Amino acid sequence: MWYFTPYALAPGLAFVVALVVIALIWPKREQALARALLALVIATAIWSLGNALETSNTNFTAKWHLIQFQYIGIILVPFAWLAFAMLYTGRNHLLTWQIFALPAALQSVSLLAMFTNDWHYFFVPPFTLMYDAEHGLHYMAGGFGPLWYMHAAISYGLTLFGTLLVLTALPRAAHTYRVQTFALLMGVAMPWIASILYVTGRSPIPRLDPTPIAFAISSLAFMVSITRYHMLDLVPTARGTVIAHMDDAVVVLDAKRRIVDANPAALRLVGRTLDDVLGRKVADFLPGHERLAEQFRDVETVATELSLDRGSGTEYYDLRITPINDRHGRLTGRVVVLHDIRHQKQNEAELRKAKEAAEAANRAKSAFLANMSHELRTPLNAIIGYSELLEEELHDIGQAELVPDLQRITKAGQHLLTLINDVLDLAKVEAGRMELEIEALDPLPVLQEVMATVEPMMRQNGNTLMLDIEGAPGMLWADATRLRQILLNLLSNAAKFTERGHVRLHVARTSCDQQITFAVIDSGIGMNEEQLANLFQPFSQADSSTTRRYGGTGLGLVITRSFCLMMGGTIDVQSKPDQGSTFTVSLPAVVG
């Protein structure tokens, strides 16, 4: 019954390759597209296996049963191919039972007629087993019945429909998808071309159906599409669906800057159809803006904003131009994307107006406070002054028991005056009313005065205060009052946030005598990264717990930084929790 013939090698090879393709598809079987392709390749495997076995057999009955077995795959192939083409090209809405119901019913009749052909011969006339001595081939000779022609018409119709779906997606496919589609078309076209040649008696291999041989080529094409071009991972319909529903205008140009594709958003932008713009220059796409197109004519990559006056007002867009290169790096085209940013521009304009209004209000507030400095300070100075006079009189008249109450009034007034001075100083800085009085000064008396002023605060918290001068500080041209205020603020903070520790003021003249640095180093509570980030924000301290425990307004460091900047200097801080802090002020030796 069995014999070797080289004519069985080709369909046998097609079956083996189909098994390899099935193995490649199987891990992706959860995808609908993969399942359709899996059905297609399984059907071709049935057809190829049946043909290889039928060609290698000499028994009439065995050959007839193997031919019937082949028709299971032959009838399934067109259905699987059409389902795959619908999914691959994004026509998922066509994949319904109504589309397939009638062809499936008619092909079921064809398949039933094939298996019962010996009773009626409506599918094919009786076959005759023949032997070709020249080629050493045992083959079945016969014709075709009426039901076979119905089967053939349905099969060719389904295959043609699927092929047309893929062809319509081909012109707009990107390069990678185009290669995929060509591979698919070749994989489907080859078997059906071979089948038509066999049916019409024009087969290049006498008395042998070349269709399974063509399936060997088809399976190879499918395998290349899956392994080389990731057919099941890159689907052109996904690209088409995304771009078609994008709000951004997308235009694809070829190497000669001609329009080869445009999405609906781009077509709405110019009020034209795709047929109107295909093949035209990009300058034609934006009438009245030819100069703009010329500006980006030789530019491969662009990321900028542009404005277009289209009669109804100025429109703003974010422009992106990206080159398209082939595998050899050659420029094959460009993708132009226009993103409408009119709302963004409107929001920016509103934010800018709000910012300007807030800044104007802040300047007005600062100017008001700067103008009110005299009216705010004078009453407080009077309260403090009269409290001190009353304290002296009470001592003189022997009513010392009332002195502590007056001292509390004096202390509260001095604290309030300090707060008001800080607020007014900051207001003057923000309003531009703060002026520097530059003079030649020896820093030593200023340092001694500052040390004497903060000494009581240091003793109150049990701290040790040290002055460390590296070499001779030399003369300075600066504002003595602002320098004194800077050092007092830093040393006062160090005294407040350090308990039973040490505070050191290190002074050094830098190289070339161009700068002098004042570093306040303490062993206090320190700060973390988050606290350091908010350190120089007005009315802000390290955190709320710090404010509750140590008090203050959070303006001292803001004013200190402002004074440093006004004198052309800088202030830096280094700190770690529970390891203390170091504030370093660098000032030019001669303040401009």
Side-chain angles (χ1 to χ4, degrees):
M1 293 178 60
W2 301 102
Y3 73 107
F4 172 77
T5 173
Y7 292 106
L9 294 178
L13 177 61
F15 172 71
V16 172
V17 175
L19 293 180
V20 175
V21 176
I22 290 171
L24 293 173
I25 301 173
W26 188 256
K28 302 177 183 293
R29 62 188 180 277
E30 297 300 325
Q31 304 176 21
L33 183 70
R35 289 196 296 271
L37 182 58
L38 192 62
L40 177 62
V41 180
I42 289 174
T44 62
I46 293 172
W47 192 349
S48 302
L49 177 62
N51 188 269
L53 294 176
E54 185 260 327
T55 304
S56 303
N57 199 285
T58 63
N59 182 270
F60 177 88
T61 303
K63 275 183 173 291
W64 175 240
H65 289 320
L66 288 169
I67 289 174
Q68 291 174 321
F69 173 73
Q70 291 177 59
Y71 267 87
I72 298 174
I74 292 171
I75 288 178
L76 287 178
V77 163
F79 288 98
W81 162 245
L82 181 57
F84 176 82
M86 289 176 175
L87 293 171
Y88 187 76
T89 58
R91 273 80 167 197
N92 304 52
H93 60 283
L94 298 177
L95 193 60
T96 61
W97 68 268
Q98 292 92 337
I99 295 290
F100 289 89
L102 181 59
L106 294 176
Q107 290 293 59
S108 298
V109 172
S110 299
L111 191 61
L112 180 62
M114 177 61 183
F115 280 98
T116 61
N117 188 71
D118 291 341
W119 300 349
H120 48 72
Y121 299 110
F122 286 159
F123 196 80
V124 291
F127 279 150
T128 303
L129 180 60
M130 305 291 291
Y131 177 70
D132 186 342
E134 180 181 355
H135 299 94
L137 180 65
H138 296 266
Y139 66 95
M140 298 286 278
F144 306 109
L147 292 182
W148 184 92
Y149 286 105
M150 181 189 73
H151 143 73
I154 295 171
S155 296
Y156 289 141
L158 294 176
T159 304
L160 180 62
F161 185 20
T163 304
L164 290 176
L165 291 179
V166 177
L167 282 174
T168 56
L170 182 60
R172 299 184 187 181
H175 174 74
T176 299
Y177 305 132
R178 198 167 293 163
V179 174
Q180 283 184 13
T181 310
F182 273 128
L184 285 173
L185 289 175
M186 183 182 71
V188 172
M190 290 297 293
W192 289 102
I193 291 173
S195 177
I196 293 172
L197 291 175
Y198 175 67
V199 171
T200 58
R202 301 179 182 274
S203 173
I205 306 174
R207 288 181 282 278
L208 183 68
D209 185 358
T211 308
I213 301 175
F215 268 115
I217 303 174
S218 299
S219 299
L220 287 173
F222 291 142
M223 188 164 62
V224 170
S225 294
I226 294 170
T227 57
R228 176 64 180 84
Y229 297 105
H230 306 282
M231 180 175 63
L232 296 178
D233 300 320
L234 300 174
V235 183
T237 55
R239 167 259 179 202
T241 301
V242 171
I243 293 181
H245 290 85
M246 284 178 62
D247 294 329
D248 296 343
V250 180
V251 181
V252 183
L253 310 177
D254 63 11
K256 296 182 179 180
R257 295 178 297 280
R258 294 174 302 194
I259 299 172
V260 296
D261 198 3
N263 72 340
L267 298 173
R268 287 194 298 269
L269 183 66
V270 295
R272 300 186 184 183
T273 64
L274 185 61
D275 293 335
D276 293 336
V277 299
L278 285 179
R280 302 181 65 177
K281 292 286 189 179
V282 69
D284 300 332
F285 196 68
L286 296 172
H289 299 281
E290 291 79 5
R291 182 177 299 179
L292 180 65
E294 184 66 21
Q295 177 182 351
F296 300 109
R297 185 173 67 90
D298 297 322
V299 181
E300 289 191 4
T301 303
V302 174
T304 186
E305 292 183 3
L306 59 86
S307 58
L308 298 177
D309 187 358
R310 293 163 46 80
S312 59
T314 303
E315 299 177 358
Y316 297 92
Y317 295 93
D318 178 72
L319 173 65
R320 292 288 189 274
I321 300 179
T322 306
I324 304 174
N325 299 315
D326 61 15
R327 288 182 296 174
H328 304 289
R330 293 187 297 262
L331 181 68
T332 59
R334 296 176 178 87
V335 176
V336 182
V337 180
L338 284 173
H339 174 61
D340 190 344
I341 56 173
R342 281 176 293 180
H343 295 302
Q344 178 182 330
K345 286 294 183 181
Q346 292 172 0
N347 293 337
E348 289 177 357
E350 292 173 0
L351 288 174
R352 185 163 52 250
K353 289 179 181 179
K355 178 176 178 291
E356 292 172 354
E359 290 175 345
N362 188 56
R363 287 193 297 270
K365 176 265 299 178
S366 299
F368 171 77
L369 289 176
N371 291 330
M372 291 292 294
S373 61
H374 177 73
E375 286 76 5
L376 289 172
R377 285 190 177 105
T378 300
L380 272 176
N381 284 325
I383 292 172
I384 294 170
Y386 280 113
S387 298
E388 292 174 345
L389 287 175
L390 287 174
E391 183 180 342
E392 294 177 1
E393 291 182 5
L394 289 175
H395 279 292
D396 293 340
I397 63 176
Q399 296 185 6
E401 67 275 7
L402 299 177
V403 170
D405 293 331
L406 282 174
Q407 289 176 339
R408 281 190 284 272
I409 293 173
T410 303
K411 186 175 180 181
Q414 290 172 342
H415 178 66
L416 182 58
L417 181 61
T418 300
L419 298 180
I420 289 177
N421 284 335
D422 286 344
V423 172
L424 293 176
D425 284 344
L426 180 61
K428 280 188 175 183
V429 171
E430 292 179 345
R433 302 286 186 87
M434 183 67 70
E435 297 180 358
L436 296 178
E437 296 182 5
I438 306 302
E439 59 180 329
L441 63 93
D442 183 355
L444 287 177
V446 176
L447 294 172
Q448 292 169 354
E449 179 185 350
V450 169
M451 298 291 284
T453 303
V454 299
E455 180 65 32
M457 297 178 61
M458 297 293 177
R459 288 199 305 270
Q460 184 177 351
N461 279 357
N463 296 318
T464 302
L465 177 62
M466 295 172 286
L467 175 62
D468 178 13
I469 302 177
E470 185 178 330
M475 296 296 293
L476 294 177
W477 281 86
D479 187 321
T481 302
R482 305 309 166 201
L483 175 60
R484 186 181 301 108
Q485 194 168 351
I486 288 171
L487 296 177
L488 280 173
N489 282 337
L490 295 179
L491 287 169
S492 298
N493 280 347
K496 180 166 60 174
F497 295 113
T498 305
E499 294 182 1
R500 292 183 293 278
H502 61 269
V503 178
R504 180 161 62 96
L505 173 58
H506 177 80
V507 183
R509 194 91 174 208
T510 60
S511 59
C512 303
D513 291 339
Q514 297 298 315
Q515 280 191 327
I516 185 170
T517 61
F518 303 89
V520 177
I521 307 164
D522 66 61
S523 59
I525 61 175
M527 292 171 286
N528 57 34
E529 294 294 333
E530 182 179 354
Q531 293 167 338
L532 289 173
N534 298 321
L535 195 60
F536 294 104
Q537 299 298 322
F539 305 100
S540 173
Q541 286 193 331
D543 54 40
S544 57
S545 61
T546 302
T547 304
R548 288 194 299 269
R549 180 177 178 184
Y550 297 100
T553 61
L555 294 178
L557 287 177
V558 179
I559 296 171
T560 298
R561 181 174 179 270
S562 299
F563 289 163
C564 289
L565 295 177
M566 288 176 63
M567 290 192 288
T570 60
I571 181 170
D572 298 313
V573 58
Q574 294 179 344
S575 182
K576 290 183 178 180
D578 301 324
Q579 297 184 24
S581 304
T582 299
F583 287 84
T584 304
V585 173
S586 297
L587 297 176
V590 178
V591 176

